[in-house]
Amino acid sequence: MMLHEIGVLGLGVMGKSLARNFASRGIRVSVFNMPLPGEENTTKQFVEEYGTDSFYGARDLKDFVESLKKQRLILLMIKSGDPVDEMIEALLPFLEPGDSIIDAGNSFYKDTQRRSAYLSSKDIHFVGMGVSGGEEGALIGPSIMPAGTDLSKERLLPLLEKIAAVVYHEPCVHWIGTDGAGHFVKMVHNGIEYGDMQLLSEAYGICRFAAGMENAAIADLFEENLTNFHESYLLSITIDILRKKEKDDYVLDNILDVAGHKGTGMWTSREALEMGVAVPTITAAMNQRIISSYKHIRNQFSEKMFRLNNVIQPEILQKVLAPALLAARLAAHAEGFHLMQVASDRYQWNLNLEEIAKIWRGGCIIKSSMLPIIAKAYYDASESEEVERLEHLFLDETYQMLVNNNIVALSGLLSSIKMGSDLATPCLSAAHDYVRSLGSKKLPINMIQAQRDYFGAHTYRTIDKPEIAVHTNWK
């Protein structure tokens, strides 16, 4: 039997698409899907549908492993969590030193660190690999974020470069680092994604419920005014969604306002708190999804809620919505990149933030015309003799200019919303306050320090002698 270059284990939507992508680039692929009682043979069905010339459908795990070239590459496309650990244990009896297991699901990065250490003790390489782009991206070219050992990089990266999206002749894949770095970067990608989605949702809500615009008019406004730096995958699908009709009714108007989540947004907020990094825009997006799930409470409370019935004129939105939304999106992206910088220092990953921004330019859910600006900011810092490194995107001159030029529009929009409607805008508000807070030389946090010293004798530091801890007898 001809040995195959990579094996895809798990033939769900993403597994099927990635397997087909590999095969379309001339890469020989073995596939296998663990059968469940009473289910059709998914492996056999897949091979029959897509061709025995392109794929080898394994009979069982042993056959699957033995069908692969030595220093095997086994790509797991299964549910994250316990199923990954269970599959690792099921595979181990058939593996040999030098083989690699690649987890391409949305696994928690600390689980990836644990699995890497465990498999290293058995001379098996483990790769934690973020993949973004959904079903379509996986099939025609995703953005890929792998991390692992040097040997697994030698074997795997050339294959990934063949299947990744391409922007300006550069594949959207970069070897992120070691152990959990790839899954951490994918986690932050998803956190930014949560923020971007919520910001667009709030922009839609302002137009629909505060300005009384119809869906088609909102789509036109988005298409006309949210271009340039706003050009993005999420914006393009939002416009499509706004225009979609079935039987003369907008599909969007019949969708229940309760949003789900799969953990990555929550992980981003939690890990940021643990590392002492503020990501308020991302956290506000996560909170709003959680609040949406309490539909029964919202229904009851809304009956008693004081209502503001003033309407914002669409003409105002024509002027301020695009710059306001840009300021907020700049904040959300800056939060995510700051978190990656701090995590890189903590775990000694040496993350290349320029390359990360570049691989997000294509193939992934958050791809937008904002990413080249971010990539250039980190490139300019790396080339500068005056700056050791760019600690935060707000310290880049071009990024600063964009934030300063658009934050006033966000302030004005929020003022109009708060005065004129009862619409909640948590993400826009959080982004605004993040910019204003980081742009403040003097915050009223001195009061908190005084309060802490008053009730707990926690001490405080003074402006003239910050190196000395001081306590005052406040009574």
Side-chain angles (χ1 to χ4, degrees):
M1 179 178 69
M2 180 183 294
L3 297 179
H4 291 61
E5 294 172 81
I6 193 166
V8 176
L9 205 166
L11 293 174
V13 171
M14 290 291 286
K16 288 179 179 178
S17 295
L18 281 174
R20 292 172 60 197
N21 192 345
F22 279 118
S24 71
R25 317 294 172 166
I27 298 167
R28 297 192 302 276
V29 186
S30 288
V31 294
F32 182 64
N33 195 78
M34 292 291 283
L36 293 174
E39 261 193 358
E40 295 290 332
N41 189 324
T42 305
T43 307
K44 183 180 178 183
Q45 286 180 331
F46 177 82
V47 174
E48 287 176 351
E49 183 173 358
Y50 296 109
T52 54
D53 292 338
S54 301
F55 304 100
Y56 174 72
R59 299 182 299 275
D60 51 36
L61 273 183
K62 184 173 184 291
D63 183 39
F64 173 71
V65 173
E66 290 177 350
S67 70
L68 300 171
K69 286 181 176 180
K70 294 295 179 72
Q71 291 191 323
R72 301 175 180 91
L73 298 174
I74 296 173
L75 183 66
L76 302 186
M77 290 304 303
I78 61 178
K79 187 177 179 182
S80 61
D82 291 342
V84 177
D85 291 312
E86 292 163 6
M87 185 57 70
I88 287 171
E89 293 303 323
L91 283 167
L92 276 175
F94 309 116
L95 299 182
E96 298 175 354
D99 291 347
S100 296
I101 297 176
I102 304 116
D103 176 13
N106 275 332
S107 288
F108 184 44
Y109 79 99
K110 288 182 179 176
D111 288 338
T112 304
Q113 290 176 317
R114 170 179 56 80
R115 290 165 185 148
S116 296
Y118 170 64
L119 288 171
S120 178
S121 68
K122 300 179 180 298
D123 292 326
I124 303 297
H125 302 272
F126 189 71
V127 176
M129 188 170 86
V131 179
S132 179
E135 179 183 2
E136 181 181 353
L139 181 61
I140 64 174
S143 175
I144 313 175
M145 297 147 263
T149 63
D150 288 341
L151 182 60
S152 56
K153 175 182 178 179
E154 283 178 27
R155 290 274 290 112
L156 181 61
L157 189 57
L159 301 186
L160 299 179
E161 288 174 340
K162 291 182 179 181
I163 69 164
V166 176
V167 176
Y168 301 125
H169 308 292
E170 295 179 323
C172 292
V173 55
H174 171 68
W175 201 264
I176 301 297
T178 57
D179 57 69
H183 276 143
F184 187 92
V185 168
K186 177 56 164 52
M187 177 192 78
V188 174
H189 166 284
N190 285 20
I192 296 171
E193 176 186 311
Y194 273 49
D196 238 359
M197 292 173 72
Q198 178 64 27
L199 287 168
L200 284 167
S201 168
E202 290 176 20
Y204 149 73
I206 291 168
C207 295
R208 185 77 176 88
F209 306 118
M213 297 171 65
E214 291 296 321
N215 291 359
I218 300 170
D220 291 342
L221 173 64
F222 282 11
E223 195 165 55
E224 292 165 11
N225 294 300
L226 302 188
T227 53
N228 298 325
F229 297 124
H230 284 297
E231 188 177 352
S232 70
Y233 171 76
L234 282 171
L235 175 61
S236 68
I237 69 169
T238 299
I239 292 169
D240 287 346
I241 289 165
L242 283 163
R243 288 179 172 151
K244 181 66 175 177
K245 279 187 171 184
E246 288 183 358
K247 298 180 180 177
D248 297 325
D249 293 324
Y250 289 108
V251 174
L252 182 61
D253 291 346
N254 198 40
I255 296 177
L256 184 68
D257 58 334
V258 175
H261 64 94
K262 292 187 176 180
T264 46
M266 177 185 68
W267 294 341
T268 307
S269 297
R270 187 181 68 199
E271 293 304 301
L273 280 173
E274 187 178 293
M275 294 184 193
V277 179
V279 291
T281 313
I282 292 169
T283 299
M286 184 70 240
N287 284 340
Q288 199 68 350
R289 292 198 188 192
I290 294 170
I291 289 172
S292 79
S293 68
Y294 290 95
K295 179 71 171 175
H296 61 294
I297 296 176
R298 292 194 288 121
N299 284 343
Q300 293 178 60
F301 183 46
S302 66
E303 302 270 331
K304 310 295 183 183
M305 187 74 180
F306 176 76
R307 311 237 68 91
L308 293 166
N309 296 317
N310 296 333
V311 175
I312 296 172
Q313 297 303 317
E315 293 78 15
I316 295 175
L317 296 182
Q318 287 276 355
K319 296 178 181 178
V320 303
L321 186 62
L325 187 60
L326 177 58
R329 294 185 64 232
L330 288 164
H333 283 70
E335 290 171 18
F337 276 84
H338 187 212
L339 177 56
M340 287 190 288
Q341 182 72 75
V342 172
S344 180
D345 293 343
R346 170 177 283 204
Y347 293 113
Q348 298 181 326
W349 283 331
N350 195 28
L351 297 182
N352 188 324
L353 299 183
E354 178 196 347
E355 290 298 328
I356 290 169
K358 286 168 70 175
I359 65 171
W360 288 350
R361 293 176 304 176
C364 73
I365 302 301
I366 67 167
K367 66 180 180 181
S368 76
S369 52
M370 196 176 289
L371 273 306
I373 298 166
I374 295 173
K376 186 176 185 303
Y378 286 108
Y379 171 79
D380 288 346
S382 69
E383 294 293 303
S384 172
E385 295 180 359
E386 300 174 6
V387 180
E388 185 177 344
R389 73 171 185 182
L390 185 61
E391 190 174 354
H392 194 286
L393 279 167
F394 285 0
L395 301 181
D396 172 71
E397 189 175 338
T398 301
Y399 213 85
Q400 275 179 20
M401 181 187 68
L402 284 170
V403 171
N404 282 327
N405 288 350
N406 293 282
I407 191 63
V408 174
L410 180 54
S411 299
L413 177 63
L414 288 172
S415 177
S416 298
I417 295 296
K418 302 308 179 189
M419 292 293 292
S421 83
D422 55 10
L423 190 68
T425 53
C427 239
L428 288 167
S429 300
H432 174 269
D433 292 347
Y434 180 69
V435 172
R436 291 300 189 192
S437 294
L438 273 183
S440 298
K441 280 188 178 181
K442 182 75 172 176
L443 291 170
I445 301 299
N446 54 330
M447 175 58 79
I448 292 175
Q449 287 301 85
Q451 291 167 340
R452 294 176 71 243
D453 188 56
Y454 189 110
F455 65 69
H458 292 292
T459 73
Y460 57 89
R461 298 178 186 274
T462 61
I463 295 170
D464 56 337
K465 294 182 179 179
E467 71 280 1
I468 300 173
V470 178
H471 169 61
T472 291
N473 185 354
W474 296 96
K475 293 182 181 179

